[in-house]
Amino acid sequence: RGPRALEPDLAGRHVVISAGGTREPLDPVRYLGNRSSGKQGYALARTALARGARVTLIAANAALPDPAGAEVVPVGTAEELRQAVTKAASGADAVVMAAAVADFRPAARSGSKIKKREGQEPEPVRLVRNPDILAALSAARGAPGQLVVGFAAETDDVLANGRAKLARKGCDLLVVNRVGEGLAFGTEENEAVILDARGPETVVPRGPKDELADRVWDAVVARWSGAPP
Ligand code: CTP
Ligand code: CA
């Protein structure tokens, strides 16, 4: 990475990263979940540490080793993630929402294991919406000048869907992953476009998740330096 090793460009910065995927319990033994591995979020944490940042990693069900030097806060549900990230975001220079947050949770959580009964159809599961954490962080900003970054996985119309989502969420940068064809979920590689709310977009070709993570920090540093779009 050249001169970056000599001059850590995230030194003195506190960044908060959410990673993994939330799980919404149905009963003490079952949950609604998603396939996020947490690898991209952990790559963001490792690269930020390497560039000199103080890192708080809000880790939702990621079975990955703690990045050395990060403060790791384990969470399970979207509500736990919301609380942890909101608290950590207070005073932070940047918040990156790489976690896959469940859009819905079961309306009720059974205190005891749900049992099947002979000759009886199962009860339907009623779902309710989870709050949009990224939109709330973007609206509330935990510090003056705080940069808020979102992630999105899209299969079609990647750019159009990404731009619409960026506007809807109100964040500064949105990293849009192209999913499908052996990309994203659980894999070692990613391919993405980093959309800047001010206009520019950076295409990051298929490559290691650490590479995409470094390009995201480049975009964050460019914003902080006030570089024109
Ligand atoms: N996100 C969030 N809170 C939610 C849902 C999503 O903070 N309840 C964040 C994710 O962490 C991600 C970004 O929003 O950074 C985009 O997530 P995505 O699922 O693509 O957006 P949604 O608005 O849920 O749109 P969709 O209907 O396409 O799932
Ligand atoms: Ca969603």
Side-chain angles (χ1 to χ4, degrees), residues 97 99 101-103 130-134 150-153 165 168-169:
M97 284 291 295
V101 181
D103 292 326
N130 274 328
D132 190 322
I133 303 167
L134 178 62
F151 268 73
K165 196 167 276 184
R168 202 161 64 236
K169 302 281 185 180

Side-chain angles (χ1 to χ4, degrees), residues 115-201:
K115 303 291 279 184
K116 59 186 175 321
R117 292 214 172 70
E118 216 45 59
Q120 243 182 45
E121 288 299 309
E123 287 296 313
V125 177
R126 201 166 76 81
L127 301 176
V128 294
R129 282 281 283 268
N130 274 328
D132 190 322
I133 303 167
L134 178 62
L137 288 166
S138 301
R141 306 286 165 154
Q146 180 181 81
L147 216 75
V148 178
V149 184
F151 268 73
E154 302 284 349
T155 51
D156 337 85
D157 299 328
V158 175
L159 285 181
N161 284 332
R163 277 286 164 202
K165 196 167 276 184
L166 175 63
R168 202 161 64 236
K169 302 281 185 180
C171 54
D172 301 298
L173 301 169
L174 187 74
V175 185
V176 189
N177 283 310
R178 198 183 293 280
V179 291
E181 292 151 55
L183 287 163
F185 296 120
T187 62
E188 302 304 327
E189 293 199 321
N190 230 340
E191 178 183 315
V193 183
I194 304 172
L195 302 178
D196 186 318
R198 298 176 309 173
E201 50 200 49

